[in-house]
Amino acid sequence: MTYGEFLKKLIIFTNTKIMVIANETGYDISYISKWCNKGILPTTRTISVINKKLSKVFANEIVMQDRVEDFFISFSDMIEKKETDTENLFDFLSDSIETALSVCYRHSSTQDSKSAQVLKPSMESNLFSHTQVLENMIRNIRQTLLQTEKELTIVWTIDICKSFQYLNALEMVSKSPQNRIRCLAALDLEEFERNPAYYMKQLYLLLSKNKTVFFEFYNGKNLKQTNAIVVEDAFADILSIDEHGNLDFSVNITNPNDVKTLFSFFSQKMTSQDLLLRSCTSKEINRSYRTEFYSGSKFHFFNTYGFEFLLPPETIDHIVETAKSNTKLDITESMIRTLQITWEEIFENQEICFFFLLSSLYEYITSGEIYYTDIHYQLQVEERISHIKNIIEVSKKNPNIKFVILDENIFASDFMPHISVYANDKKIFLKNYSAYETGIGPHLYIIHDKELIRIINTSTSHSLQNPTLYREYNSETLESLLEKYKSLIFRMMHMA
């Protein structure tokens, strides 16, 4: 009996829900379904832990349902019945099921190995037409993800500006990966500058749709003729692309030695170019980066998750207490206080523009949720009211503070931005809130290249010359707006 057949039989016999198994093992429902129905196997490094967890789930169900005798009859071909006292019954069932799962896994692994040997000669190099390229690529990446526990690295030498539609296909495999996905991709700055407003939006959507992927973008100026996609230890696609960026066909290479050679060549060629953007977790960022960022000028902030700026001092005190009580946070009180002082200084006289979508503002007003650096905090209604008052008070003192409500039609109606943008005249970084909530993916995207920063800032300035895209408020007009809708805002705050 194969591993999938035996697992499926256990699930049906015990009437165990897939969700229960997913929660116990820590794997997505789709993966477990593939173990049962698609012949996909867990990796050899994880199978021992998975079988142990599965056996305990099934043993518990059998005992709780009082179906011990039925179990031994139904599974007599795999598990031998032995006289066991009630006290040790659970352990015996669990050990027996774990052993049987391991036997089935070894059997299935052997069969897969034999099949792979038979297929190998015909799979080492294949030619795919344009209709098959994406399907083949995603299928191979998905299979590789299921079979490896280490970081998966993808080298993508095709200019991003020409391949957004293809690179976005990673969304199909990056929603809940078991391991870290790293993607090294080429970005042609000359092409990017030809239509920066369009490409900025596409770049933002790419990061948003693939929030679990650790992207690194490199200057693609010297990579224009290297149309390759290489996944480490898996496969390589050498592609033919027409002048419009459409894929004609690809040559798929799976020979391990060839893939290793190609990966080494293209990854070295990629990383020898100028780094434009990199992804990292909050622990991987240089501690001095935030301090250096706020030493700049002409700040632009696109806020998608609450509004952590212009908080009153008493709210900062509450956030400090939250950080102290959360032992998982590697954040000191001194760092929070330093950031507080830094913000107070720049809010006194710097040019600052805060961008919002109305939907994001509604969400903050009703929930009060923010992330202050890495700290999740929920402002109570009274704190939100104090926050609004402090926003008006501080912005009155500094006429250079502006608030911009963007047109909701900038994005599709079913798209909810979850990445905030922090920019000044010299530095830009983005904050991925999904990674804070799920623990998967990069917390931050840092743009390193001065030329890319210049292009983005120039394009943003040009966009602000088109008043049809936004509504701008200063302290006076904002105060009037808040006064007009005061009762509505108050009701919204009490909705949650």
Side-chain angles (χ1 to χ4, degrees), residues 294-478:
Y294 289 109
S295 65
S297 60
K298 297 182 179 179
F299 294 93
H300 288 164
F301 301 105
F302 175 44
N303 305 271
T304 63
Y305 194 104
F307 186 56
E308 71 266 40
F309 299 101
L310 304 174
L311 292 166
E314 55 270 20
T315 301
I316 302 293
D317 293 339
H318 296 158
I319 292 173
V320 168
E321 293 305 314
T322 300
K324 285 181 178 179
S325 64
N326 193 336
T327 55
K328 294 181 181 179
L329 293 174
D330 184 25
I331 297 174
T332 62
E333 179 178 355
S334 62
M335 192 197 86
I336 297 173
R337 296 300 187 191
T338 300
L339 184 59
Q340 178 188 8
I341 293 169
T342 302
W343 281 359
E344 287 175 354
E345 289 176 353
I346 70 168
F347 293 148
E348 283 183 2
N349 51 29
Q350 288 282 356
E351 289 183 28
I352 305 170
C353 193
F354 296 108
F355 296 86
F356 306 90
L357 291 174
L358 206 54
S359 54
S360 300
L361 281 179
Y362 287 158
E363 183 67 26
Y364 170 62
I365 290 170
T366 55
S367 72
E369 293 187 65
I370 64 169
Y371 269 95
Y372 192 89
T373 64
D374 298 345
I375 308 163
H376 179 262
Y377 184 77
Q378 185 171 23
L379 280 74
Q380 300 303 309
V381 172
E382 295 75 15
E383 290 179 305
R384 274 172 267 167
I385 293 172
S386 298
H387 189 193
I388 291 174
K389 291 179 180 178
N390 198 59
I391 290 170
I392 299 298
E393 182 180 334
V394 174
S395 57
K396 278 183 176 180
K397 295 176 182 177
N398 180 6
N400 294 315
I401 296 178
K402 306 292 183 185
F403 302 89
V404 172
I405 307 298
L406 297 171
D407 187 341
E408 293 281 333
N409 294 323
I410 289 177
F411 300 110
S413 59
D414 60 344
F415 175 77
M416 183 64 182
H418 219 53
I419 294 178
S420 287
V421 182
Y422 300 69
N424 63 29
D425 58 336
K426 294 185 174 65
K427 293 181 181 293
I428 298 176
F429 72 94
L430 299 86
K431 196 170 181 179
N432 175 17
Y433 294 109
S434 291
Y436 288 96
E437 294 175 341
T438 65
I440 303 173
H443 297 118
L444 302 166
Y445 308 93
I446 300 174
I447 298 179
H448 289 270
D449 187 75
K450 293 180 180 178
E451 185 65 10
L452 181 55
I453 292 171
R454 179 194 66 78
I455 294 170
I456 291 173
N457 283 336
T458 301
S459 178
T460 302
S461 297
H462 288 163
S463 296
L464 290 176
Q465 295 173 14
N466 182 359
T468 62
L469 299 176
Y470 66 92
R471 285 168 288 167
E472 183 178 297
Y473 300 88
N474 57 21
S475 60
E476 183 179 336
T477 53
L478 180 63

Side-chain angles (χ1 to χ4, degrees), residues 210-338:
N210 299 277
K211 294 185 286 288
T212 65
V213 177
F214 286 76
F215 282 106
E216 294 174 22
F217 297 152
Y218 293 87
N219 193 335
K221 181 179 179 180
N222 299 320
L223 298 168
K224 292 181 180 180
Q225 305 305 318
T226 56
N227 297 324
I229 301 169
V230 189
V231 179
E232 187 178 15
D233 297 331
F235 70 92
D237 280 339
I238 309 301
L239 303 109
S240 170
I241 300 177
D242 67 21
E243 66 274 16
H244 303 296
N246 299 315
L247 301 182
D248 286 332
F249 65 87
S250 77
V251 177
N252 180 252
I253 300 166
T254 57
N255 179 280
N257 290 330
D258 292 341
V259 172
K260 185 175 181 179
T261 300
L262 289 168
F263 179 81
S264 176
F265 173 78
F266 284 116
S267 60
Q268 289 180 23
K269 190 172 182 65
M270 179 75 78
T271 55
S272 67
Q273 311 305 311
D274 292 334
L275 177 65
L276 306 181
L277 174 148
R278 74 179 177 96
S279 310
C280 63
T281 65
S282 57
K283 289 184 178 181
E284 293 168 342
I285 189 175
N286 189 319
R287 284 292 188 187
S288 64
Y289 181 83
R290 282 192 176 98
T291 304
E292 293 171 0
F293 175 82
Y294 289 109
S295 65
S297 60
K298 297 182 179 179
F299 294 93
H300 288 164
F301 301 105
F302 175 44
N303 305 271
T304 63
Y305 194 104
F307 186 56
E308 71 266 40
F309 299 101
L310 304 174
L311 292 166
E314 55 270 20
T315 301
I316 302 293
D317 293 339
H318 296 158
I319 292 173
V320 168
E321 293 305 314
T322 300
K324 285 181 178 179
S325 64
N326 193 336
T327 55
K328 294 181 181 179
L329 293 174
D330 184 25
I331 297 174
T332 62
E333 179 178 355
S334 62
M335 192 197 86
I336 297 173
R337 296 300 187 191
T338 300

Side-chain angles (χ1 to χ4, degrees), residues 40-206:
I40 301 296
L41 295 175
T43 64
T44 53
R45 289 180 58 188
T46 60
I47 191 60
S48 178
V49 174
I50 290 172
N51 286 347
K52 190 174 291 294
K53 290 179 178 179
L54 288 173
S55 62
K56 289 181 179 179
V57 171
F58 294 130
N60 183 64
E61 288 295 329
I62 292 165
V63 173
M64 293 295 291
Q65 296 174 28
D66 194 21
R67 298 193 63 195
V68 177
E69 290 299 324
D70 292 343
F71 172 74
F72 284 118
I73 293 172
S74 298
F75 291 85
S76 58
D77 57 333
M78 293 294 300
I79 297 174
E80 182 182 354
K81 180 181 180 182
K82 293 182 180 179
E83 292 299 325
T84 308
D85 56 47
T86 305
E87 185 177 335
N88 297 317
L89 181 59
F90 173 82
D91 290 337
F92 173 71
L93 286 171
S94 179
D95 291 343
S96 299
I97 294 171
E98 183 181 354
T99 300
L101 282 167
S102 299
V103 169
C104 291
Y105 181 82
R106 286 195 296 271
H107 172 71
S108 297
S109 297
T110 303
Q111 292 300 111
D112 279 2
S113 177
K114 290 179 180 178
S115 299
Q117 290 175 8
V118 172
L119 291 172
K120 185 177 178 181
S122 63
M123 287 295 290
E124 292 194 339
S125 180
N126 292 297
L127 184 66
F128 290 95
S129 68
H130 69 280
T131 57
Q132 298 171 299
V133 171
L134 266 185
E135 181 183 345
N136 178 65
M137 180 187 73
I138 294 303
R139 181 175 64 250
N140 286 338
I141 292 176
R142 181 182 287 117
Q143 186 174 0
T144 304
L145 281 170
L146 291 171
Q147 293 177 348
T148 184
E149 282 296 304
K150 69 173 188 176
E151 175 179 279
L152 180 72
T153 301
I154 303 169
V155 179
W156 189 286
T157 71
I158 312 165
D159 175 28
I160 295 173
C161 295
K162 292 183 177 179
S163 59
F164 279 116
Q165 57 180 320
Y166 305 116
L167 194 51
N168 270 323
L170 287 177
E171 182 183 8
M172 301 178 193
V173 294
S174 67
K175 288 185 177 178
S176 54
Q178 299 180 73
N179 40 350
R180 180 160 163 164
I181 303 175
R182 178 177 174 230
C183 182
L184 317 181
L187 174 61
D188 185 353
L189 284 181
E190 293 178 359
E191 176 61 31
F192 190 89
E193 192 168 16
R194 287 191 180 95
N195 193 354
Y198 171 77
Y199 288 132
M200 281 167 58
K201 180 179 177 181
Q202 294 304 313
L203 199 63
Y204 182 86
L205 291 172
L206 173 68

Side-chain angles (χ1 to χ4, degrees), residues 4 7 11 17-38 40 54 146:
L7 177 57
I11 292 172
K17 295 186 181 298
I18 297 292
M19 179 60 75
V20 172
I21 295 174
N23 291 336
E24 289 295 326
T25 60
Y27 284 82
D28 190 83
I29 291 175
S30 61
Y31 293 141
I32 296 165
S33 177
K34 289 169 185 173
W35 298 345
C36 295
N37 303 308
K38 302 291 185 181
I40 301 296
L54 288 173
L146 291 171

